[in-house]
């Protein structure tokens, strides 16, 4: 679209409503300050656990900076330039802020802009420090949630292990392969419901219920758009290719993504899978390199992370899968690329220009799967699109690029921006539930 810029978009961005009537306002007024409070409280507890006097003193300073950030947010102060923390992206962040949102306040700046800015500023506070520069202020929540769900994890892994063996034993059976792919794709989609920034209290029971709905097909009624058959037509023609997965949440969702990659390699569809985690802690539960390796090691050795309630058979399946995944990582069949672009200020329509190196790598792929709500919002730029706007129109230049891979979005909707939904389907969903776009209960599989 000619003339598109972060502050000059074809449809209005999501901005907090003055009357408090929209999800953006609720997020800025209630949900996100609560997340920041949790960061402060969890960090305070971490500071109390250290024996270093200097680390404690610095921890108090960092707590003050976090509290200052929260105060600026809730009192609607302007967004200020970021301090350089040596990561390599601050100059771009500050240029973006000055060029497009100079003087903008929290309540006047678009949702996607202030929210990503907040998470980048939190990271800056820690990365500039001496004693806490590698501290992941979300790690405890991420790891504790996964550790507590190990029984559900074991059941899922056993199911996928059996499904994969069935696929490998009958590779010539395209119908069976198709059905297995549909189940794996849907599992990866609905794993996105395990977003700790939206649903912080996940239990074994909830995860098992979710998995049962996937296996039974019950969740099909919650799909706002479903391009699975079109995606399968592409995938079924790929043999020994490359698939990229731009990751979202760690824990149970990451497990679903890893299991999908496991199946794609075992089925001979992919000879390489490239995962794209975040380089810094991001949006509470987003995957970092450390999170990825922690999960693989936890699967290979559940006892090492304090998992309980597993049977001998459960442990055998988990250990076998974990060992296999470490083999794939060591052999370079699976790779992790944590490019800074994913935590940068620009939406994904700017990949060919602002993320040229990243885009050059993605064009070597047969298919790129963008996982989750934030990646979707960055694909469609968090605008108030008419819901029937074709998905390829909403994502812009990366869809038109002749070198582009197939671009797939798997997202459970937790924000009121969406495209590619047929008008009749949208009317049905609004009749069922007015908040369907940001409830986290509905999803899309789009190409």
């Amino acid at each position: 679209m000619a003339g598109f810029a972060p502050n000059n978009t074809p449809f209005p961005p999501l901005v907090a409503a003055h009357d408090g009537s929209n999800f953006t306002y609720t997020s800025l007024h209630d949900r996100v300050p609560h997340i920041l409070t949790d960061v402060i409280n969890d960090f305070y507890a971490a500071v109390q656990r250290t024996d270093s006097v200097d680390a404690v003193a610095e921890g108090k300073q960092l707590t003050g900076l976090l509290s200052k950030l929260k105060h600026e947010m809730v009192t609607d102060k302007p967004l200020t330039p970021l301090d350089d923390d040596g990561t390599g992206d601050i100059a771009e962040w500050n240029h973006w802020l000055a060029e497009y949102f100079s003087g903008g306040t929290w309540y006047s700046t678009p949702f996607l802009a202030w929210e990503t800015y907040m998470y980048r500023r939190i990271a800056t506070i820690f990365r500039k420090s001496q004693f806490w520069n590698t501290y992941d202020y979300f790690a405890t929540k991420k790891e504790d949630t996964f550790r507590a769900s190990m029984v559900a994890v074991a059941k899922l892994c056993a199911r996928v292990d059996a499904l994969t063996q069935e696929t490998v034993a009958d590779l010539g059976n395209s119908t069976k392969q198709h059905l297995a792919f549909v189940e794996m794709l849907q599992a990866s989609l609905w794993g996105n419901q395990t977003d700790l920034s939206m649903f912080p209290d996940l239990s074994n029971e909830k995860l098992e219920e979710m998995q049962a709905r996937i296996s039974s097909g019950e969740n099909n009624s919650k799909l706002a758009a479903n391009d699975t058959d079109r995606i399968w037509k592409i995938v079924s023609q790929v043999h020994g290719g490359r698939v990229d997965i731009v990751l979202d949440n760690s824990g149970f969702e990451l497990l679903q993504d890893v299991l999908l990659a496991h199946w794609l390699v075992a089925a001979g569809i992919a000879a390489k899978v490239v995962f794209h985690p975040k380089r810094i802690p991001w949006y509470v539960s987003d995957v970092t390199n450390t999170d990825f390796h922690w999960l693989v090691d936890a699967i290979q050795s559940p006892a090492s992370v304090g998992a309980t309630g597993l049977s001998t058979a459960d442990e055998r399946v988990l250990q076998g899968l974990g060992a296999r995944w470490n083999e794939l990582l060591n052999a370079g069949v699976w790779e992790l690329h944590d490019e800074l672009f994913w935590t940068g200020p620009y939406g994904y329509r700017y990949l060919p220009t602002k993320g040229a190196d990243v885009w050059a790598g993605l064009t070597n792929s047969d298919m790129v799967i963008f996982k989750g709500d934030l990646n979707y919002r960055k694909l469609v730029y968090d605008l108030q699109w008419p819901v029937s706007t074709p998905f390829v129109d909403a994502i812009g230049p990366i869809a038109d690029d002749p070198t582009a891979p197939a671009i797939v979005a798997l997202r459970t909707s937790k924000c009121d921006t969406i495209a590619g939904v047929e008008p009749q389907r949208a009317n049905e969903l609004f009749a069922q539930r007015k908040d369907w776009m940001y409830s986290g209960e509905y999803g899309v599989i789009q190409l």
Side-chain angles (χ1 to χ4, degrees), residues 206-232:
K206 290 180 180 177
L207 293 174
E208 289 178 18
E209 288 171 6
M210 180 183 75
Q211 193 59 34
R213 289 194 299 271
I214 294 168
S215 299
S216 68
E218 179 184 341
N219 272 1
N220 287 338
S221 64
K222 297 293 183 71
L223 286 171
N226 185 4
D227 290 330
T228 300
D229 288 342
R230 292 176 57 214
I231 295 167
W232 172 245

PDB file of all heavy atoms in Angstrom, residues 206-232:
ATOM      1  N   LYS A 206      -6.503 -28.509  32.734  1.00  0.00           N
ATOM      2  CA  LYS A 206      -6.860 -27.622  31.625  1.00  0.00           C
ATOM      3  C   LYS A 206      -6.126 -28.013  30.345  1.00  0.00           C
ATOM      4  O   LYS A 206      -6.691 -27.986  29.248  1.00  0.00           O
ATOM      5  CB  LYS A 206      -6.549 -26.171  31.987  1.00  0.00           C
ATOM      6  CG  LYS A 206      -7.470 -25.585  33.043  1.00  0.00           C
ATOM      7  CD  LYS A 206      -7.098 -24.145  33.360  1.00  0.00           C
ATOM      8  CE  LYS A 206      -8.019 -23.566  34.420  1.00  0.00           C
ATOM      9  NZ  LYS A 206      -7.629 -22.171  34.790  1.00  0.00           N
ATOM     10  N   LEU A 207      -4.852 -28.384  30.476  1.00  0.00           N
ATOM     11  CA  LEU A 207      -4.070 -28.763  29.307  1.00  0.00           C
ATOM     12  C   LEU A 207      -4.584 -30.068  28.716  1.00  0.00           C
ATOM     13  O   LEU A 207      -4.642 -30.236  27.491  1.00  0.00           O
ATOM     14  CB  LEU A 207      -2.594 -28.889  29.692  1.00  0.00           C
ATOM     15  CG  LEU A 207      -1.910 -27.568  30.083  1.00  0.00           C
ATOM     16  CD1 LEU A 207      -0.501 -27.835  30.596  1.00  0.00           C
ATOM     17  CD2 LEU A 207      -1.865 -26.604  28.909  1.00  0.00           C
ATOM     18  N   GLU A 208      -4.958 -31.009  29.564  1.00  0.00           N
ATOM     19  CA  GLU A 208      -5.493 -32.286  29.072  1.00  0.00           C
ATOM     20  C   GLU A 208      -6.845 -32.078  28.394  1.00  0.00           C
ATOM     21  O   GLU A 208      -7.147 -32.714  27.380  1.00  0.00           O
ATOM     22  CB  GLU A 208      -5.605 -33.282  30.228  1.00  0.00           C
ATOM     23  CG  GLU A 208      -4.248 -33.778  30.720  1.00  0.00           C
ATOM     24  CD  GLU A 208      -4.364 -34.731  31.903  1.00  0.00           C
ATOM     25  OE1 GLU A 208      -5.466 -35.259  32.117  1.00  0.00           O
ATOM     26  OE2 GLU A 208      -3.354 -34.943  32.595  1.00  0.00           O
ATOM     27  N   GLU A 209      -7.657 -31.174  28.938  1.00  0.00           N
ATOM     28  CA  GLU A 209      -8.942 -30.866  28.302  1.00  0.00           C
ATOM     29  C   GLU A 209      -8.718 -30.248  26.922  1.00  0.00           C
ATOM     30  O   GLU A 209      -9.418 -30.584  25.957  1.00  0.00           O
ATOM     31  CB  GLU A 209      -9.744 -29.895  29.182  1.00  0.00           C
ATOM     32  CG  GLU A 209     -10.301 -30.515  30.456  1.00  0.00           C
ATOM     33  CD  GLU A 209     -10.888 -29.463  31.388  1.00  0.00           C
ATOM     34  OE1 GLU A 209     -10.951 -28.273  30.978  1.00  0.00           O
ATOM     35  OE2 GLU A 209     -11.261 -29.816  32.519  1.00  0.00           O
ATOM     36  N   MET A 210      -7.740 -29.357  26.837  1.00  0.00           N
ATOM     37  CA  MET A 210      -7.421 -28.732  25.564  1.00  0.00           C
ATOM     38  C   MET A 210      -6.997 -29.778  24.541  1.00  0.00           C
ATOM     39  O   MET A 210      -7.456 -29.769  23.391  1.00  0.00           O
ATOM     40  CB  MET A 210      -6.312 -27.700  25.742  1.00  0.00           C
ATOM     41  CG  MET A 210      -5.904 -26.988  24.455  1.00  0.00           C
ATOM     42  SD  MET A 210      -4.522 -25.850  24.700  1.00  0.00           S
ATOM     43  CE  MET A 210      -3.171 -27.016  24.848  1.00  0.00           C
ATOM     44  N   GLN A 211      -6.126 -30.696  24.953  1.00  0.00           N
ATOM     45  CA  GLN A 211      -5.651 -31.728  24.048  1.00  0.00           C
ATOM     46  C   GLN A 211      -6.784 -32.635  23.592  1.00  0.00           C
ATOM     47  O   GLN A 211      -6.831 -33.062  22.441  1.00  0.00           O
ATOM     48  CB  GLN A 211      -4.540 -32.545  24.711  1.00  0.00           C
ATOM     49  CG  GLN A 211      -3.767 -33.446  23.760  1.00  0.00           C
ATOM     50  CD  GLN A 211      -3.097 -32.664  22.640  1.00  0.00           C
ATOM     51  OE1 GLN A 211      -2.657 -31.536  22.840  1.00  0.00           O
ATOM     52  NE2 GLN A 211      -3.029 -33.244  21.452  1.00  0.00           N
ATOM     53  N   ALA A 212      -7.715 -32.929  24.495  1.00  0.00           N
ATOM     54  CA  ALA A 212      -8.860 -33.782  24.141  1.00  0.00           C
ATOM     55  C   ALA A 212      -9.732 -33.105  23.089  1.00  0.00           C
ATOM     56  O   ALA A 212     -10.233 -33.751  22.162  1.00  0.00           O
ATOM     57  CB  ALA A 212      -9.680 -34.099  25.392  1.00  0.00           C
ATOM     58  N   ARG A 213      -9.916 -31.792  23.204  1.00  0.00           N
ATOM     59  CA  ARG A 213     -10.724 -31.059  22.218  1.00  0.00           C
ATOM     60  C   ARG A 213     -10.055 -31.063  20.851  1.00  0.00           C
ATOM     61  O   ARG A 213     -10.720 -31.118  19.821  1.00  0.00           O
ATOM     62  CB  ARG A 213     -10.962 -29.624  22.699  1.00  0.00           C
ATOM     63  CG  ARG A 213     -11.907 -29.493  23.878  1.00  0.00           C
ATOM     64  CD  ARG A 213     -12.364 -28.055  24.071  1.00  0.00           C
ATOM     65  NE  ARG A 213     -11.254 -27.163  24.347  1.00  0.00           N
ATOM     66  CZ  ARG A 213     -10.782 -26.889  25.558  1.00  0.00           C
ATOM     67  NH1 ARG A 213     -11.325 -27.473  26.614  1.00  0.00           N
ATOM     68  NH2 ARG A 213      -9.778 -26.050  25.719  1.00  0.00           N
ATOM     69  N   ILE A 214      -8.731 -31.005  20.844  1.00  0.00           N
ATOM     70  CA  ILE A 214      -7.998 -31.048  19.573  1.00  0.00           C
ATOM     71  C   ILE A 214      -8.186 -32.402  18.911  1.00  0.00           C
ATOM     72  O   ILE A 214      -8.532 -32.500  17.725  1.00  0.00           O
ATOM     73  CB  ILE A 214      -6.495 -30.779  19.808  1.00  0.00           C
ATOM     74  CG1 ILE A 214      -6.282 -29.353  20.298  1.00  0.00           C
ATOM     75  CG2 ILE A 214      -5.697 -31.012  18.523  1.00  0.00           C
ATOM     76  CD1 ILE A 214      -4.888 -29.096  20.832  1.00  0.00           C
ATOM     77  N   SER A 215      -7.969 -33.474  19.675  1.00  0.00           N
ATOM     78  CA  SER A 215      -8.039 -34.834  19.122  1.00  0.00           C
ATOM     79  C   SER A 215      -9.437 -35.175  18.634  1.00  0.00           C
ATOM     80  O   SER A 215      -9.601 -35.890  17.641  1.00  0.00           O
ATOM     81  CB  SER A 215      -7.581 -35.851  20.174  1.00  0.00           C
ATOM     82  OG  SER A 215      -6.237 -35.611  20.548  1.00  0.00           O
ATOM     83  N   SER A 216     -10.470 -34.651  19.321  1.00  0.00           N
ATOM     84  CA  SER A 216     -11.846 -34.975  18.957  1.00  0.00           C
ATOM     85  C   SER A 216     -12.365 -34.130  17.802  1.00  0.00           C
ATOM     86  O   SER A 216     -13.410 -34.446  17.220  1.00  0.00           O
ATOM     87  CB  SER A 216     -12.765 -34.780  20.174  1.00  0.00           C
ATOM     88  OG  SER A 216     -12.860 -33.396  20.501  1.00  0.00           O
ATOM     89  N   GLY A 217     -11.665 -33.062  17.473  1.00  0.00           N
ATOM     90  CA  GLY A 217     -12.141 -32.154  16.433  1.00  0.00           C
ATOM     91  C   GLY A 217     -13.120 -31.112  16.946  1.00  0.00           C
ATOM     92  O   GLY A 217     -13.627 -30.289  16.180  1.00  0.00           O
ATOM     93  N   GLU A 218     -13.360 -31.114  18.267  1.00  0.00           N
ATOM     94  CA  GLU A 218     -14.313 -30.184  18.855  1.00  0.00           C
ATOM     95  C   GLU A 218     -13.917 -28.731  18.614  1.00  0.00           C
ATOM     96  O   GLU A 218     -14.761 -27.850  18.453  1.00  0.00           O
ATOM     97  CB  GLU A 218     -14.422 -30.457  20.357  1.00  0.00           C
ATOM     98  CG  GLU A 218     -15.369 -29.545  21.106  1.00  0.00           C
ATOM     99  CD  GLU A 218     -15.370 -29.809  22.611  1.00  0.00           C
ATOM    100  OE1 GLU A 218     -14.923 -30.893  23.029  1.00  0.00           O
ATOM    101  OE2 GLU A 218     -15.828 -28.912  23.342  1.00  0.00           O
ATOM    102  N   ASN A 219     -12.606 -28.480  18.563  1.00  0.00           N
ATOM    103  CA  ASN A 219     -12.134 -27.105  18.406  1.00  0.00           C
ATOM    104  C   ASN A 219     -12.365 -26.524  17.019  1.00  0.00           C
ATOM    105  O   ASN A 219     -12.177 -25.329  16.806  1.00  0.00           O
ATOM    106  CB  ASN A 219     -10.637 -27.028  18.730  1.00  0.00           C
ATOM    107  CG  ASN A 219     -10.380 -26.783  20.209  1.00  0.00           C
ATOM    108  OD1 ASN A 219     -11.310 -26.688  21.003  1.00  0.00           O
ATOM    109  ND2 ASN A 219      -9.119 -26.689  20.580  1.00  0.00           N
ATOM    110  N   ASN A 220     -12.767 -27.361  16.059  1.00  0.00           N
ATOM    111  CA  ASN A 220     -13.020 -26.843  14.714  1.00  0.00           C
ATOM    112  C   ASN A 220     -14.077 -25.740  14.714  1.00  0.00           C
ATOM    113  O   ASN A 220     -14.033 -24.826  13.889  1.00  0.00           O
ATOM    114  CB  ASN A 220     -13.453 -27.977  13.779  1.00  0.00           C
ATOM    115  CG  ASN A 220     -12.296 -28.891  13.415  1.00  0.00           C
ATOM    116  OD1 ASN A 220     -11.138 -28.488  13.497  1.00  0.00           O
ATOM    117  ND2 ASN A 220     -12.594 -30.110  13.015  1.00  0.00           N
ATOM    118  N   SER A 221     -15.014 -25.841  15.648  1.00  0.00           N
ATOM    119  CA  SER A 221     -16.083 -24.836  15.718  1.00  0.00           C
ATOM    120  C   SER A 221     -15.560 -23.490  16.204  1.00  0.00           C
ATOM    121  O   SER A 221     -16.245 -22.477  16.106  1.00  0.00           O
ATOM    122  CB  SER A 221     -17.205 -25.319  16.649  1.00  0.00           C
ATOM    123  OG  SER A 221     -16.723 -25.446  17.976  1.00  0.00           O
ATOM    124  N   LYS A 222     -14.339 -23.482  16.729  1.00  0.00           N
ATOM    125  CA  LYS A 222     -13.745 -22.244  17.235  1.00  0.00           C
ATOM    126  C   LYS A 222     -12.783 -21.606  16.230  1.00  0.00           C
ATOM    127  O   LYS A 222     -12.094 -20.638  16.563  1.00  0.00           O
ATOM    128  CB  LYS A 222     -13.000 -22.529  18.548  1.00  0.00           C
ATOM    129  CG  LYS A 222     -13.878 -23.029  19.688  1.00  0.00           C
ATOM    130  CD  LYS A 222     -14.840 -21.954  20.144  1.00  0.00           C
ATOM    131  CE  LYS A 222     -15.681 -22.391  21.331  1.00  0.00           C
ATOM    132  NZ  LYS A 222     -14.881 -22.474  22.563  1.00  0.00           N
ATOM    133  N   LEU A 223     -12.740 -22.151  15.021  1.00  0.00           N
ATOM    134  CA  LEU A 223     -11.864 -21.583  13.995  1.00  0.00           C
ATOM    135  C   LEU A 223     -12.600 -20.479  13.232  1.00  0.00           C
ATOM    136  O   LEU A 223     -13.646 -20.720  12.637  1.00  0.00           O
ATOM    137  CB  LEU A 223     -11.401 -22.662  13.022  1.00  0.00           C
ATOM    138  CG  LEU A 223     -10.335 -23.631  13.551  1.00  0.00           C
ATOM    139  CD1 LEU A 223     -10.118 -24.773  12.574  1.00  0.00           C
ATOM    140  CD2 LEU A 223      -9.020 -22.896  13.789  1.00  0.00           C
ATOM    141  N   ALA A 224     -12.033 -19.289  13.253  1.00  0.00           N
ATOM    142  CA  ALA A 224     -12.625 -18.174  12.503  1.00  0.00           C
ATOM    143  C   ALA A 224     -12.267 -18.268  11.024  1.00  0.00           C
ATOM    144  O   ALA A 224     -13.030 -17.831  10.158  1.00  0.00           O
ATOM    145  CB  ALA A 224     -12.153 -16.843  13.076  1.00  0.00           C
ATOM    146  N   ALA A 225     -11.094 -18.822  10.734  1.00  0.00           N
ATOM    147  CA  ALA A 225     -10.647 -19.036   9.359  1.00  0.00           C
ATOM    148  C   ALA A 225      -9.761 -20.274   9.349  1.00  0.00           C
ATOM    149  O   ALA A 225      -8.969 -20.476  10.272  1.00  0.00           O
ATOM    150  CB  ALA A 225      -9.881 -17.824   8.845  1.00  0.00           C
ATOM    151  N   ASN A 226      -9.899 -21.080   8.302  1.00  0.00           N
ATOM    152  CA  ASN A 226      -9.183 -22.358   8.293  1.00  0.00           C
ATOM    153  C   ASN A 226      -8.695 -22.683   6.886  1.00  0.00           C
ATOM    154  O   ASN A 226      -9.458 -23.115   6.026  1.00  0.00           O
ATOM    155  CB  ASN A 226     -10.096 -23.474   8.807  1.00  0.00           C
ATOM    156  CG  ASN A 226      -9.375 -24.798   8.941  1.00  0.00           C
ATOM    157  OD1 ASN A 226      -8.168 -24.891   8.717  1.00  0.00           O
ATOM    158  ND2 ASN A 226     -10.102 -25.833   9.316  1.00  0.00           N
ATOM    159  N   ASP A 227      -7.398 -22.462   6.658  1.00  0.00           N
ATOM    160  CA  ASP A 227      -6.792 -22.753   5.361  1.00  0.00           C
ATOM    161  C   ASP A 227      -5.965 -24.041   5.392  1.00  0.00           C
ATOM    162  O   ASP A 227      -5.037 -24.212   4.600  1.00  0.00           O
ATOM    163  CB  ASP A 227      -5.872 -21.589   4.943  1.00  0.00           C
ATOM    164  CG  ASP A 227      -6.644 -20.334   4.595  1.00  0.00           C
ATOM    165  OD1 ASP A 227      -7.789 -20.451   4.134  1.00  0.00           O
ATOM    166  OD2 ASP A 227      -6.096 -19.227   4.792  1.00  0.00           O
ATOM    167  N   THR A 228      -6.317 -24.958   6.286  1.00  0.00           N
ATOM    168  CA  THR A 228      -5.528 -26.180   6.451  1.00  0.00           C
ATOM    169  C   THR A 228      -5.371 -26.948   5.149  1.00  0.00           C
ATOM    170  O   THR A 228      -4.274 -27.419   4.814  1.00  0.00           O
ATOM    171  CB  THR A 228      -6.166 -27.090   7.517  1.00  0.00           C
ATOM    172  OG1 THR A 228      -6.214 -26.386   8.769  1.00  0.00           O
ATOM    173  CG2 THR A 228      -5.348 -28.363   7.696  1.00  0.00           C
ATOM    174  N   ASP A 229      -6.435 -27.088   4.404  1.00  0.00           N
ATOM    175  CA  ASP A 229      -6.360 -27.882   3.161  1.00  0.00           C
ATOM    176  C   ASP A 229      -5.413 -27.236   2.151  1.00  0.00           C
ATOM    177  O   ASP A 229      -4.654 -27.932   1.468  1.00  0.00           O
ATOM    178  CB  ASP A 229      -7.752 -28.040   2.544  1.00  0.00           C
ATOM    179  CG  ASP A 229      -8.623 -29.005   3.351  1.00  0.00           C
ATOM    180  OD1 ASP A 229      -8.071 -29.781   4.154  1.00  0.00           O
ATOM    181  OD2 ASP A 229      -9.859 -28.967   3.169  1.00  0.00           O
ATOM    182  N   ARG A 230      -5.441 -25.922   2.048  1.00  0.00           N
ATOM    183  CA  ARG A 230      -4.519 -25.220   1.142  1.00  0.00           C
ATOM    184  C   ARG A 230      -3.074 -25.389   1.603  1.00  0.00           C
ATOM    185  O   ARG A 230      -2.158 -25.544   0.798  1.00  0.00           O
ATOM    186  CB  ARG A 230      -4.881 -23.742   1.068  1.00  0.00           C
ATOM    187  CG  ARG A 230      -6.213 -23.451   0.371  1.00  0.00           C
ATOM    188  CD  ARG A 230      -6.524 -21.961   0.436  1.00  0.00           C
ATOM    189  NE  ARG A 230      -5.453 -21.171  -0.164  1.00  0.00           N
ATOM    190  CZ  ARG A 230      -5.090 -19.964   0.265  1.00  0.00           C
ATOM    191  NH1 ARG A 230      -5.678 -19.423   1.328  1.00  0.00           N
ATOM    192  NH2 ARG A 230      -4.116 -19.309  -0.338  1.00  0.00           N
ATOM    193  N   ILE A 231      -2.887 -25.342   2.911  1.00  0.00           N
ATOM    194  CA  ILE A 231      -1.534 -25.520   3.457  1.00  0.00           C
ATOM    195  C   ILE A 231      -1.039 -26.932   3.184  1.00  0.00           C
ATOM    196  O   ILE A 231       0.120 -27.139   2.794  1.00  0.00           O
ATOM    197  CB  ILE A 231      -1.528 -25.219   4.975  1.00  0.00           C
ATOM    198  CG1 ILE A 231      -1.863 -23.743   5.205  1.00  0.00           C
ATOM    199  CG2 ILE A 231      -0.179 -25.571   5.602  1.00  0.00           C
ATOM    200  CD1 ILE A 231      -2.189 -23.397   6.648  1.00  0.00           C
ATOM    201  N   TRP A 232      -1.918 -27.921   3.351  1.00  0.00           N
ATOM    202  CA  TRP A 232      -1.523 -29.306   3.110  1.00  0.00           C
ATOM    203  C   TRP A 232      -1.129 -29.529   1.647  1.00  0.00           C
ATOM    204  O   TRP A 232      -0.204 -30.286   1.353  1.00  0.00           O
ATOM    205  CB  TRP A 232      -2.634 -30.270   3.510  1.00  0.00           C
ATOM    206  CG  TRP A 232      -2.333 -31.689   3.099  1.00  0.00           C
ATOM    207  CD1 TRP A 232      -3.012 -32.451   2.184  1.00  0.00           C
ATOM    208  CD2 TRP A 232      -1.255 -32.499   3.570  1.00  0.00           C
ATOM    209  NE1 TRP A 232      -2.430 -33.683   2.062  1.00  0.00           N
ATOM    210  CE2 TRP A 232      -1.341 -33.744   2.895  1.00  0.00           C
ATOM    211  CE3 TRP A 232      -0.224 -32.308   4.479  1.00  0.00           C
ATOM    212  CZ2 TRP A 232      -0.439 -34.778   3.109  1.00  0.00           C
ATOM    213  CZ3 TRP A 232       0.674 -33.357   4.705  1.00  0.00           C
ATOM    214  CH2 TRP A 232       0.574 -34.565   4.016  1.00  0.00           C
TER     215      TRP A 232
END
